[in-house]
Amino acid sequence: MPRTRPVSRDEAPPEIADIYDAWFGPGRDPVAEPGTATGTPGDWWTTWARAPDVLRAMRAYPYREAPVDPRLREVALMRAGYARASQFVFSQHCKAARREGVDEAKIAAVPCWTLADGVFSPVERAVLAYVDGMMLEAGRVHDRVFAALRDHLSDEEILVLTYLVNLYGMHAISSKALRMEYDNVPERIVEIPAPEDGGVQDWRDPKWSGPAASAAASP
């Protein structure tokens, strides 16, 4: 379960029930019967349904109709998800990229794009560098990166791409903060107490995840 209480179909106002019908199937309660076609729990929708005005705002711009090459868009959004360390955003946009015809070699190389010689086109490399400037350097985009971007994209395309990358960066951050979808995971950085009998402590042991880790590490 995410950190905030999701909205069941019984609680949902008509506009949310219509979204549930479209996304999960007619009449289905996605809280009682979680799961989407791509294998996620689907609690992104049921969580944000508690703030329907926000959900409506996030759905207002039809990103698939955005005036930018959809393959370029998905390369950018994959990188945004990866750079923001969101398993949910990265994984979902790998699938979206595949649907748009992005090569498997490019999907596989997004995490290490700077070393992927011969994989990405000049415009893709410019877009990836632009995404990194926004996601990893808080918008500090070097003049040479922006000049490379302008060699290939119009002002309108750059503006739309800027919006979409930041929108999905926000999705990534909120998904982790609220522990939704594939980002519903225990805290990774915890103290692993020293073993009582010597040897190497197995930090992968589930007992060191979440509240149990804090309790175990206490003197």
Side-chain angles (χ1 to χ4, degrees):
M1 291 287 287
R3 282 172 158 166
T4 58
R5 188 165 59 89
V7 176
S8 69
R9 175 172 285 276
D10 289 343
E11 297 178 87
E15 65 178 284
I16 296 299
D18 289 345
I19 292 173
Y20 286 0
D21 284 343
W23 197 252
F24 299 98
R28 180 176 160 196
D29 181 353
V31 175
E33 300 178 67
T36 68
T38 57
T40 76
D43 54 34
W44 171 269
W45 304 96
T46 58
T47 295
W48 282 115
R50 195 159 294 284
D53 289 344
V54 175
L55 182 58
R56 187 186 307 111
M58 289 192 293
R59 288 168 49 84
Y61 185 75
Y63 93 100
R64 290 186 178 86
E65 300 172 18
V68 64
D69 183 333
R71 289 170 295 185
L72 202 58
R73 177 196 73 211
E74 293 304 330
V75 165
L77 298 184
M78 279 189 288
R79 182 61 188 177
Y82 187 84
R84 285 300 190 190
S86 169
Q87 181 71 40
F88 175 54
V89 174
F90 176 71
S91 177
Q92 292 301 91
H93 285 280
C94 286
K95 297 174 179 65
R98 196 170 288 116
R99 288 196 300 270
E100 297 293 351
V102 177
D103 293 343
E104 290 293 333
K106 292 182 180 182
I107 295 172
V110 162
C112 54
W113 74 268
T114 56
L115 300 176
D117 295 337
V119 175
F120 297 105
S121 68
V123 62
E124 289 167 336
R125 291 183 65 82
V127 164
L128 287 162
Y130 187 53
V131 172
D132 281 3
M134 288 189 286
M135 295 292 100
L136 298 178
E137 298 189 58
R140 189 173 174 223
V141 175
H142 195 280
D143 286 345
R144 288 183 61 184
V145 171
F146 201 80
L149 199 65
R150 296 200 75 166
D151 284 343
H152 302 282
L153 300 181
S154 68
D155 285 354
E156 182 183 14
E157 289 172 314
I158 292 171
L159 287 169
V160 168
L161 195 65
T162 301
Y163 170 75
L164 290 176
V165 167
N166 281 286
L167 175 65
Y168 280 86
M170 181 273 289
H171 286 355
I173 291 169
S174 59
S175 180
K176 292 190 296 178
L178 297 173
R179 291 196 177 174
M180 297 184 290
E181 304 287 2
Y182 292 150
D183 292 318
N184 188 5
V185 294
E187 174 56 58
R188 167 73 171 78
I189 308 302
V190 297
E191 180 187 1
I192 307 299
E196 295 179 0
D197 301 320
V200 177
Q201 186 69 283
D202 183 3
W203 60 268
R204 296 166 297 183
D205 192 320
K207 70 184 178 183
W208 306 130
S209 298
S214 299
S218 298

